[in-house]
């Protein structure tokens, strides 16, 4: 009954629709009203197809093809060969240039066949209908959908030229294995652009969309080849090619060269995608609204931001980054090499001092894309690695002390808080230099107490650590006691202040975002913030250099050039840190377990120092 009722609806409505369409000259006012109704209901303003987006390294190399939602590279009509157009018109819609979006005779034939079989076996869809289905509808086999398809096809024919419709169709159709459009298909199956295909290869690819699963050339090559030859015979019958040319095309050997999707450096790419969201959020005003919103409004704003990002991605963009592939490989390889211990993980970040760009980011051993990325998602206690930022630099800035001034390294207690030096060691009076390079704890707490906790945190706040809270404003923070801590990337970014005369600027991976034609869409415009004076920075660089030369970071010493930094170890040996800088780069390394656990057994190996040295060595 369902089928018969559907047939009756089609039979009744089709003549009415046809009369409305073809009575333009005699009943122009009435048809204009019908057109206005279609315009109101269908709203076809602009027809665009989702395209592949790309992430590029600093050297211009494509490192990721972002084919969500689809892998498509659109071509203009002029870049699609006339032969390929002939193939599709011959195979799918021989009256393409004559109809107004649908073929009444073909629909009649299909209805007869479907009535006979009591099912929807033949659709008689024109190229325009197929385009309408791909863009606006789904592939459900129902009469409601078919009627919608007719209306959309008619609207497309009213608003677009035949040339544009054919261009969109050839770019829209599915060629299986994730490829949409002829260019993506050509690159996938033959590793070359569609403009470089032979006619035989074009006909071979044109065989796929009619039934992508059946004509999948990877699984059913023979089926695809047989349909290719049938298409060539059709072209011959239509006298679009000569018999000799047809035989030559059929005899040409078709050899697939399947291209693997580009998806390199997953640690870095995962971060770039996160930074993309942040950049769009900032530039389009979402970030300010999210900061002020309640929980319910945040969820709504976040959903809107997700939708906006999808819209931007679908138009096809190029994300140009600062990735240095050689440094990235060094960082990833060193983590795997130096952290052979069970359950021990690590992360590393490398930032160019001059440009403030993130040049490498390692999120863990054998990192897989979208896994937990420890480089920017792991918030860990910083241990003594926080001392340069929260204690020593603020102390020099507020007191004008020099590195050889004395400080008490003996026991300290205040309001019940009694920190210990490493191993419970007790010291007397010592220099600021010695207290720093050997990472004594009690002097650091004393210094923060001397200048005032709020003064220290006023400086620290300028680095924008996301999870430093008011609860952290305590003396225990001087030796790394934070509620949540900070990520390796955050801490490394903060240390760039020591390479830039006391000025801080957030580190970014993304240089700019353009459309596929190179038009600038987004870029960061961060400003520099002066945190400390050049005199303070000079003292800090001196202390950090001494730490590498003869202090706790001796294993990170480089054969030439400046190298300075600070180690950090947290209570219970849960985290090992080293953040340091050379003339060109600042790099931070964290080593620990995802579920914090005692790592005393590997402390003497100092893997964090060796990883840093691997990355920074030429």
């Amino acid at each position: 009954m369902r089928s018969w009722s559907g047939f009756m609806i089609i039979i009744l409505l089709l003549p009415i629709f046809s009369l409305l369409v073809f009575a333009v000259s005699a009943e122009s006012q009435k048809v204009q009203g019908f057109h206005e109704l279609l315009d109101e209901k269908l709203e076809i303003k602009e027809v665009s197809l989702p395209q592949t987006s790309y992430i590029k390294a600093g050297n211009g190399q494509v490192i990721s093809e972002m084919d969500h939602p689809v892998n498509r590279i659109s071509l203009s009509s002029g870049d699609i060969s006339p032969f390929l157009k002939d193939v599709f018109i011959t195979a799918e819609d021989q009256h393409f240039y004559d109809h107004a979006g649908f073929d009444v005779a073909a629909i009649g034939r299909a209805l007869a066949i479907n009535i006979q079989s009591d099912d929807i076996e033949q659709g008689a869809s024109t190229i325009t209908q197929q385009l309408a289905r791909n863009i606006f509808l789904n592939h459900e086999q129902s009469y409601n959908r078919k009627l919608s398809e007719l209306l959309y096809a008619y609207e497309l024919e009213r608003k677009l030229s035949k040339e544009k419709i054919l261009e969109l169709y050839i770019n829209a159709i599915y060629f299986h294995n994730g490829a949409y459009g002829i260019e993506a298909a050509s690159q996938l199956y033959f590793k070359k652009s569609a403009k470089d295909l032979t006619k035989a290869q074009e006909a071979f690819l044109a065989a796929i969309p009619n039934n992508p699963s059946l004509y999948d050339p990877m699984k059913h090559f023979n089926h695809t080849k047989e349909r290719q030859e049938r298409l060539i015979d059709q072209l011959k019958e239509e006298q679009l090619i000569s018999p000799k040319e047809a035989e030559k095309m059929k005899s040409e050997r078709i050899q697939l060269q399947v291209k693997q999707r580009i998806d390199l450096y997953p640690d870095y790419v995962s971060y770039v995608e996160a930074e993309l969201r942040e950049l769009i959020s900032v530039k389009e005003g979402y970030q300010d609204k999210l900061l002020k919103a309640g929980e319910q409004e945040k969820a709504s704003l976040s959903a809107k931001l997700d939708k906006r990002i999808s819209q931007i991605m679908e138009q096809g963009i190029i994300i140009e980054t600062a990735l240095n592939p050689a440094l990235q490989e060094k960082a990833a390889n060193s983590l795997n090499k130096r952290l052979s211990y069970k359950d021990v993980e690590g992360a590393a970040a490398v930032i160019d001092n001059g440009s403030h760009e993130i040049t490498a980011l390692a999120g863990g051993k054998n990192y897989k894309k979208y896994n937990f990325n420890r480089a920017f998602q792991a918030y860990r206690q910083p241990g003594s690695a926080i001392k340069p930022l929260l204690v020593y630099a603020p102390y020099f800035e507020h007191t004008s002390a020099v590195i050889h001034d004395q400080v008490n390294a003996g026991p300290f207690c205040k309001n019940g808080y009694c920190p210990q030096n490493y191993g419970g060691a007790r010291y007397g009076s010592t220099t600021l230099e010695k207290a720093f390079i050997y990472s004594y704890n009690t002097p650091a707490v004393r210094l923060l107490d001397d200048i005032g906790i709020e003064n220290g945190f006023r400086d620290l706040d300028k680095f924008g650590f996301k999870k430093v809270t008011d609860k952290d404003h305590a003396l225990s923070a001087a030796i790394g006691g934070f509620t949540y801590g900070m990520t390796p990337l955050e801490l490394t970014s903060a240390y760039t202040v020591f390479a830039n005369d006391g000025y801080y600027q957030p580190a970014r991976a993304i240089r700019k975002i353009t459309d596929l034609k190179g038009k600038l869409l987004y870029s960061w415009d961060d400003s520099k913030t002066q945190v400390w004076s050049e005199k303070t920075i000079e003292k800090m660089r001196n202390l950090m250099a001494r730490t590498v030369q003869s202090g706790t970071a001796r294993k990170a010493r480089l054969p030439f050039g400046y190298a300075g930094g600070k180690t950090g170890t947290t209570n219970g040996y849960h985290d090992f840190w080293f953040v340091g800088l050379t003339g060109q780069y600042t790099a931070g390394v964290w080593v620990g377990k995802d579920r914090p656990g005692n790592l005393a057994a590997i402390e003497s190996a100092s893997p964090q120092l060796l990883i840093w040295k691997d990355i920074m060595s030429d």
Side-chain angles (χ1 to χ4, degrees):
M1 288 299 296
R2 181 184 63 81
S3 296
W4 274 104
S5 64
F7 297 143
M8 292 306 297
I9 291 170
I10 294 285
I11 290 168
L12 289 170
L13 291 180
L14 188 59
I16 296 170
F17 181 67
S18 300
L19 284 171
L20 284 168
V21 172
F22 293 110
V24 174
S25 58
E27 303 288 340
S28 59
Q29 291 300 316
K30 294 178 185 177
V31 175
Q32 181 59 40
F34 177 64
H35 288 169
E36 288 172 355
L37 179 64
L38 285 181
D39 288 343
E40 180 184 337
K41 297 297 182 184
L42 301 186
E43 284 191 280
I44 300 178
K45 294 179 180 177
E46 183 180 348
V47 180
S48 59
L49 300 170
Q51 296 194 72
T52 301
S53 292
Y54 304 91
I55 298 176
K56 290 184 176 182
N59 61 7
Q61 173 193 4
V62 173
I63 58 173
S64 179
E65 294 175 308
M66 305 169 76
D67 53 11
H68 45 81
V70 297
N71 174 21
R72 176 184 285 117
I73 305 162
S74 291
L75 299 178
S76 65
S77 181
D79 291 326
I80 300 170
S81 78
F83 175 79
L84 187 66
K85 294 176 183 177
D86 285 343
V87 175
F88 278 115
I89 290 171
T90 301
E92 300 293 333
D93 187 1
Q94 293 187 18
H95 301 291
F96 173 69
Y97 288 108
D98 302 320
H99 61 62
F102 55 91
D103 189 331
V104 177
I107 292 173
R109 288 193 299 272
L111 278 172
I113 293 169
N114 293 338
I115 290 171
Q116 260 189 335
S117 64
D118 197 35
D119 199 358
I120 303 177
E121 289 191 354
Q122 188 166 325
S125 293
T126 63
I127 280 175
T128 316
Q129 286 174 255
Q130 292 179 54
L131 177 61
R133 186 189 314 149
N134 275 283
I135 296 177
F136 304 113
L137 304 167
N138 56 40
H139 291 265
E140 172 195 357
Q141 289 286 76
S142 72
Y143 288 101
N144 284 338
R145 199 270 295 155
K146 289 297 289 184
L147 281 171
S148 297
E149 184 182 289
L150 288 171
L151 292 171
Y152 271 109
Y154 179 65
E155 276 292 273
L156 285 172
E157 292 276 351
R158 280 183 59 222
K159 297 190 172 180
L160 302 176
S161 67
K162 289 287 187 180
E163 180 184 31
K164 187 65 179 179
I165 290 169
L166 188 57
E167 171 198 310
L168 288 167
Y169 171 77
I170 293 173
N171 283 313
I173 49 181
Y174 186 48
F175 287 82
H176 212 61
N177 296 301
Y180 289 81
I182 189 64
E183 181 65 20
S186 179
Q187 293 192 21
L188 172 64
Y189 295 116
F190 294 115
K191 285 187 179 179
K192 59 183 176 181
S193 176
K195 65 182 174 60
D196 299 319
L197 293 171
T198 66
K199 288 183 177 180
Q201 290 171 332
E202 288 181 311
F204 182 84
L205 293 180
I208 301 171
N210 181 264
N211 189 334
S213 296
L214 177 62
Y215 300 123
D216 175 3
M218 293 187 194
K219 292 182 179 178
H220 308 296
F221 182 89
N222 290 339
H223 290 170
T224 319
K225 185 70 175 81
E226 288 167 5
R227 175 161 166 77
Q228 177 230 32
E229 293 185 5
R230 292 198 298 273
L231 291 178
I232 291 170
D233 286 338
Q234 279 185 266
L235 292 168
K236 180 180 67 175
E237 289 168 11
E238 294 296 321
Q239 298 184 350
L240 294 169
I241 58 174
S242 67
K244 183 178 179 181
E245 190 176 7
E247 289 308 311
K248 182 181 178 183
M249 287 168 58
K250 287 195 285 186
S251 65
E252 182 179 316
R253 186 185 176 202
I254 301 293
Q255 185 170 359
L256 298 181
Q257 295 185 47
V258 179
K259 172 192 170 187
Q260 297 302 313
R261 177 173 166 265
I262 299 173
D263 194 15
L264 306 174
Y265 311 116
D267 325 47
Y268 194 89
V269 166
S270 295
Y271 176 73
V272 168
E273 292 187 17
E275 190 179 299
L276 168 69
R277 179 184 177 83
E278 181 186 1
L279 176 55
I280 293 173
S281 178
V282 169
K283 291 297 182 180
E284 301 211 355
Y286 288 94
Q287 186 177 73
D288 288 341
K289 293 176 184 176
L290 284 165
L291 289 172
K292 300 172 186 175
E295 288 305 312
Q296 189 171 353
E297 191 181 356
K298 275 184 181 178
S300 174
L301 284 169
S302 185
K304 288 179 181 178
L305 176 58
D306 288 339
K307 184 177 179 181
R308 177 59 181 149
I309 292 168
S310 294
Q311 290 173 344
I312 292 165
M313 293 288 292
E314 285 182 8
Q315 75 183 45
I317 60 173
I318 296 172
I319 304 171
E320 296 191 15
T321 75
L323 174 70
N324 181 319
L327 278 178
Q328 180 68 28
E329 288 169 11
K330 276 187 181 183
N333 292 340
S334 185
L335 286 188
N336 294 327
K337 174 185 173 183
R338 302 292 185 183
L339 301 178
S340 58
Y341 319 100
K342 184 181 179 182
D343 297 330
V344 177
E345 271 294 350
V350 185
I351 299 168
D352 185 283
N353 294 331
S355 63
H356 305 277
E357 294 174 332
I358 302 167
T359 54
L361 207 67
K365 294 188 298 186
N366 301 306
Y367 183 82
K368 299 293 187 294
K369 196 171 185 181
Y370 303 132
N371 281 357
F372 182 64
N373 192 317
R374 298 159 189 85
F376 75 96
Q377 292 177 317
Y379 287 84
R380 304 292 293 223
Q381 302 297 319
S384 294
I386 199 64
K387 291 176 183 175
L389 301 168
L390 179 61
V391 178
Y392 282 90
Y395 183 78
F396 287 129
E397 190 76 8
H398 289 281
T399 67
S400 299
V402 295
I403 64 175
H404 297 297
D405 284 352
Q406 296 290 303
V407 61
N408 185 355
F412 175 93
C413 270
K414 186 171 184 178
N415 298 328
Y417 176 60
C418 305
Q420 299 291 310
N421 289 315
Y422 177 79
R426 290 172 175 263
Y427 308 99
S429 182
T430 188
T431 63
L432 291 172
E433 178 185 51
K434 190 172 182 180
F436 184 95
I437 69 174
Y438 293 115
S439 204
Y440 298 160
N441 285 335
T442 56
V445 177
R446 275 194 173 88
L447 295 177
L448 182 59
D449 190 43
D450 284 350
I451 63 169
I453 293 170
E454 293 309 316
N455 283 328
F457 273 92
R458 194 172 294 113
D459 287 354
L460 193 72
D461 288 345
K462 293 174 182 177
F463 299 108
F465 291 110
K466 289 181 180 177
K467 291 195 176 183
V468 172
T469 68
D470 290 342
K471 292 180 181 179
D472 296 319
H473 290 214
L475 288 176
S476 57
I479 55 175
F482 287 78
T483 308
Y484 301 104
M486 49 274 301
T487 69
L489 178 57
E490 283 185 325
L491 199 53
T492 306
S493 180
Y495 264 65
T496 61
V497 72
F498 301 119
N500 288 285
D501 299 325
Y503 287 87
Y504 172 71
Q505 181 176 321
R508 307 295 188 185
I510 296 175
R511 288 178 171 170
K512 63 179 178 178
I513 299 172
T514 70
D515 65 16
L516 297 178
K517 294 181 180 178
K519 179 185 176 183
L520 180 65
L521 301 177
Y522 304 97
S523 64
W524 291 107
D525 54 2
D526 299 308
S527 58
K528 294 180 180 180
T529 299
Q530 185 169 12
V531 185
W532 298 303
S533 67
E534 287 187 39
K535 286 184 178 180
T536 292
I537 295 302
E538 184 180 353
K539 295 168 189 175
M540 292 304 302
R541 286 174 63 86
N542 191 323
L543 290 180
M544 291 192 292
R546 293 279 287 123
T547 302
V548 171
Q549 291 161 10
S550 58
T552 57
R554 291 186 300 278
K555 289 183 180 178
R557 190 164 44 201
L558 298 176
F560 52 85
Y562 175 85
K566 185 70 186 73
T567 55
T569 303
T570 59
N571 288 342
Y573 303 97
H574 288 174
D575 306 88
F576 295 140
W577 290 86
F578 182 63
V579 188
L581 54 144
T582 64
Q584 185 173 5
Y585 298 110
T586 297
V589 178
W590 165 84
V591 172
K593 293 184 177 182
D594 288 334
R595 288 189 174 184
N598 191 296
L599 294 174
I602 69 169
E603 182 194 17
S604 61
S606 304
Q608 73 280 16
L609 298 175
L610 299 180
I611 292 167
W612 188 90
K613 187 173 182 178
D614 286 343
I615 296 169
M616 298 301 228
S617 297
D618 290 333

